[in-house]
Amino acid sequence: MDVTCSWMKILFFMFLYVTVDAEQVDECVKLTSCSCRNSEGIIDLSPLASTDYTAKFKDVQEEDGSYYFSYNPCYSFSENGCTAVSGCQTDMTNYFSLGTQYSAAFKVDATNGLYIEYDDTTDVKRTLQVYLKCDQGEEGKLDVKGAFPSGSAIYEMTLTSKHCCTKSPGPNPDPCKHSHREWLIIIILSCIMVSLLVLIILSSIIICLQIRNNRNTSLTTTIPNPKVSEKKSYGTLN
């Protein structure tokens, strides 16, 4: 019974962890390379995108440094040594790709909120993280922080725009589609339910066996031995 109680506690805390974690993080499920859907609606950056193979935001200088960065949501662009990219880094002599539109992934940071991450590997792996800041009064502004942590190959930008705000949801194009987190929650909850069912069955079997053993013990102690009774009766006749 102690083992059963321990398993029940473990399963309870697993369920509590999954529930709290699901409530704290509002994942934005990718629809396209520049749009996603969360519990409140859809974020769509396509009105900001340049469609002529150039960057919407071109050669924006980082806060502290000598590098310049270009970025375009939704559609790829080319700039000198950067070909078919979503982001480009340059010192005006050398050009480095910071990811493709295909690699776009929507992620949520507990502190800074929603961002899009792009990856590319040319000479070394470089990662571009574009944080989305909602501002209804701003059409589109890009601030470049640069490498963060300093010296790393991870580059941060902040895109401030009204298009980074959530819009009312439209019809879900695929209501049966689940995010990775949703699948994880479904799998964990299924495991918990199966484990509980197994524990209930095992507990029932153990209880039944204990009851049967108790009955057998009781019958053994209450039924008299016929041979002993026979000997006692012969002794009385003599």
Side-chain angles (χ1 to χ4, degrees), residues 132-150:
L132 307 182
K133 184 178 179 181
C134 172
D135 186 344
Q136 294 289 357
E138 178 64 53
E139 176 62 26
K141 181 181 70 170
L142 186 69
D143 297 303
V144 179
K145 187 172 186 177
F148 186 79
S150 179

Side-chain angles (χ1 to χ4, degrees), residues 107-116 131-132:
K107 299 184 178 182
V108 178
D109 181 89
T111 303
N112 298 315
L114 180 66
Y115 66 96
I116 309 176
Y131 285 87
L132 307 182

Side-chain angles (χ1 to χ4, degrees), residues 2-12 14 195-196 199:
D2 292 338
V3 175
T4 302
C5 292
S6 299
W7 272 106
M8 293 288 286
K9 290 179 181 178
I10 293 172
L11 292 172
F12 172 76
M14 286 177 62
S195 299
L196 286 173
L199 285 174

Side-chain angles (χ1 to χ4, degrees), residues 138-220:
E138 178 64 53
E139 176 62 26
K141 181 181 70 170
L142 186 69
D143 297 303
V144 179
K145 187 172 186 177
F148 186 79
S150 179
S152 70
I154 301 175
Y155 303 92
E156 285 190 10
M157 301 178 177
T158 299
L159 176 60
T160 305
S161 171
K162 62 183 181 181
H163 302 294
C164 295
C165 303
T166 304
K167 300 176 183 177
S168 58
N172 194 335
D174 188 359
C176 296
K177 184 177 180 179
H178 296 284
S179 67
H180 294 299
R181 180 173 296 276
E182 289 172 336
W183 277 118
L184 178 61
I185 293 173
I186 291 172
I187 292 172
I188 292 178
L189 290 178
S190 299
C191 291
I192 291 174
M193 295 300 295
V194 171
S195 299
L196 286 173
L197 182 61
V198 171
L199 285 174
I200 291 172
I201 294 173
L202 290 176
S203 299
S204 300
I205 293 173
I206 292 172
I207 292 172
C208 290
L209 290 175
Q210 288 178 343
I211 293 173
R212 179 175 294 180
N213 289 335
N214 291 337
R215 286 181 178 176
N216 291 338
T217 303
S218 176
L219 289 173
T220 302

